[in-house]
């Protein structure tokens, strides 16, 4: 009798859990990511073992019901299915040369086993391990990576690409995750919906959002590098050495898209995302000031050009 636990069933389950893991990672749900990632690795590891022979899912000790069933020696499956755990499956694959020894992978499985009770906050540390393990197993069993990862293929490639440093990987991964969120949220909506929402949330012009003794910060509308819609708030700052007489040379140091959630946190990430690092604006371009008390355009011009960004406390 053929086993009811098949290679195709395990492969399909591994794919579903792997996608759920990356979805959770994109949304910042660490515990869910660790749970789903661990299950995805376990399912694919068991699929690799079944590909060799179903008996490899049996425990050596205890009841021999599962061993007999997987070997096709019994006519009915056991009342309760109990196969080897993830750690044992990985150990057998390592003995077969399909996977290398990895403390990070072992750590992922341990977190999967304990996260429901203890919680964890180390998803970033295990994303690369998770993706690399899945891809190694796919190669071992002769499955196409792109077919398995689907819409997540680009994000997976970025995670594995050794030519990127950590900062570049972080930005490009967030960009791919933002595109996935954008498609999930707006893909099925009527034509024109995105443009309508973008007009509603986008604030045109140059807006001052903060001013203190060291710098002045602004916000302006920008095209998002991820979803490519004009719905992102680009954050800029002016410091004394970059202030010109009739123009302000502003430095871009952050971004947040209201549609896909893509964000950049500093000047380095702005450059990695391909946005211009500086922008020249005239004081007359100001359309709005901070809510705590308006700083008039003329006062701001004086404030920016009065030597060291003098703090206009009386203006607030």
């Amino acid at each position: 009798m053929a086993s009811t636990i098949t290679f195709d069933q395990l492969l399909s389950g591994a794919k579903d859990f792997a996608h759920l893991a990356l979805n959770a990672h994109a949304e910042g749900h660490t515990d869910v990511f660790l749970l789903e990632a661990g299950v995805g690795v376990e399912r694919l590891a068991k699929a690799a073992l079944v590909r060799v022979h179903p008996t490899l899912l049996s425990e050596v000790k205890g009841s021999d019901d599962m061993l007999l069933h997987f070997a096709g020696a019994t006519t009915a499956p056991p009342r309760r299915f109990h196969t080897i755990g993830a750690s044992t499956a990985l150990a057998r694959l390592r003995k077969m040369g399909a996977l290398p020894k990895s403390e990070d992978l072992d750590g992922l499985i341990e977190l999967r086993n304990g996260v429901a009770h203890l919680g964890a906050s180390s998803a970033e540390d295990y994303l690369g391990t998770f993706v690399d393990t899945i891809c190694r197993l796919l190669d071992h069993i002769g499955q196409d990576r792109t077919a398995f990862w689907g819409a997540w293929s680009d994000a997976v490639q970025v995670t594995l690409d050794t030519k990127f440093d950590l900062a570049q990987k972080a930005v490009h991964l967030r960009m791919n995750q933002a595109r996935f969120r954008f498609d999930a949220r707006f893909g099925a909506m009527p034509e024109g919906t995105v443009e309508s929402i973008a007009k509603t949330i986008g604030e045109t012009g140059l807006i001052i959002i903060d001013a203190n003794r060291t710098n002045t910060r602004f916000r302006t509308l920008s095209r998002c590098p991820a979803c490519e819609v004009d719905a992102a708030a680009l954050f800029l700052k002016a410091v004394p050495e970059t202030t010109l007489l009739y123009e302000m040379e502003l430095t871009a140091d952050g971004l947040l898209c209201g549609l896909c959630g893509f964000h950049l946190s500093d000047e380095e990430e702005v450059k990695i995302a391909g946005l211009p690092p500086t922008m020249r604006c005239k004081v007359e371009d100001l359309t709005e000031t901070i809510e705590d008390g308006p700083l008039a355009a003329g006062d701001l011009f004086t404030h920016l050009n009065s030597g060291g960004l003098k703090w206009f406390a009386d203006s607030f």
Side-chain angles (χ1 to χ4, degrees):
M1 175 182 174
S3 171
T4 55
I5 299 179
T6 66
F7 171 80
D8 290 338
Q9 180 189 41
L10 290 167
L11 177 64
S12 177
K15 179 179 178 179
D16 290 341
F17 281 107
H19 282 229
L20 288 172
L22 292 185
N23 292 351
H25 188 279
E27 297 294 342
H29 302 317
T30 299
D31 287 356
V32 178
F33 163 74
L34 292 169
L35 283 168
E36 308 292 10
V39 175
V41 168
E42 180 176 355
R43 291 289 180 93
L44 197 56
K46 289 182 176 180
L49 292 174
V50 166
R51 195 69 177 268
V52 178
H53 198 278
T55 56
L56 291 177
L57 294 187
S58 302
E59 290 187 319
V60 176
K61 61 181 180 179
S63 172
D64 58 4
D65 291 347
M66 290 300 297
L67 176 63
L68 293 170
H69 174 66
F70 285 137
T74 57
T75 58
R79 185 175 300 175
R80 296 180 61 186
F81 277 91
H82 183 68
T83 63
I84 57 174
S87 296
T88 302
L90 294 175
R92 291 182 180 179
L93 287 168
R94 285 166 177 161
K95 290 179 180 179
M96 296 161 53
L99 286 176
K101 178 67 177 176
S102 169
E103 293 183 1
D104 289 337
L105 177 55
D106 293 339
L108 172 62
I109 298 304
E110 290 174 4
L111 283 171
R112 191 288 303 266
N113 293 337
V115 68
H117 304 289
L118 303 177
S121 57
S122 50
E124 293 301 328
D125 295 337
Y126 290 97
L127 177 63
T129 299
F130 163 63
V131 168
D132 179 66
T133 301
I134 292 290
C135 288
R136 285 177 182 270
L137 289 173
L138 289 172
D139 294 345
H140 177 71
I141 60 180
Q143 297 296 308
D144 183 71
R145 293 185 181 186
T146 302
F148 182 90
W149 291 114
W152 285 112
S153 295
D154 288 344
V156 166
Q157 185 57 42
V158 168
T159 303
L160 296 175
D161 203 325
T162 57
K163 74 174 182 288
F164 292 137
D165 60 27
L166 291 178
Q168 290 172 319
K169 282 188 176 183
V171 171
H172 287 287
L173 178 61
R174 289 205 304 270
M175 193 177 297
N176 277 280
Q177 292 174 333
R179 288 168 182 159
F180 180 86
R181 286 195 299 269
F182 181 82
D183 291 339
R185 293 171 182 173
F186 302 108
M189 290 190 176
E191 185 177 351
T193 300
V194 171
E195 290 76 9
S196 178
I197 296 176
K199 289 181 180 179
T200 301
I201 66 175
E203 296 180 275
T204 58
L206 186 65
I207 302 168
I208 181 171
I209 57 175
D210 184 39
N212 56 47
R213 292 181 175 86
T214 58
N215 62 53
T216 303
R217 302 197 74 238
F218 304 83
R219 181 179 70 240
T220 190
L221 187 64
S222 172
R223 177 170 289 265
C224 174
C227 66
E228 300 183 343
V229 179
D230 295 324
L234 179 65
F235 299 100
L236 309 123
K237 65 180 179 181
V239 293
E241 59 268 25
T242 60
T243 302
L244 305 180
L245 184 59
Y246 296 107
E247 292 182 324
M248 299 177 292
E249 184 169 303
L250 307 179
T251 301
D253 66 349
L255 178 137
L256 177 61
C257 180
L259 289 181
C260 68
F262 180 62
H263 69 278
L264 300 169
S265 302
D266 53 37
E267 297 175 40
E268 181 184 8
E269 291 192 345
V270 168
K271 294 177 182 178
I272 292 172
L275 294 173
T278 60
M279 176 183 296
R280 288 195 176 187
C281 302
K282 297 179 180 179
V283 175
E284 289 81 358
D285 294 334
L286 280 169
T287 58
E288 189 177 333
T289 56
I290 55 178
E291 296 179 355
D292 293 338
L295 185 65
D299 291 336
L300 176 64
F301 180 80
T302 304
H303 174 71
L304 291 170
N305 294 280
S306 59
L309 283 175
K310 180 181 176 183
W311 175 237
F312 275 50
D314 294 338
S315 299
F316 294 92

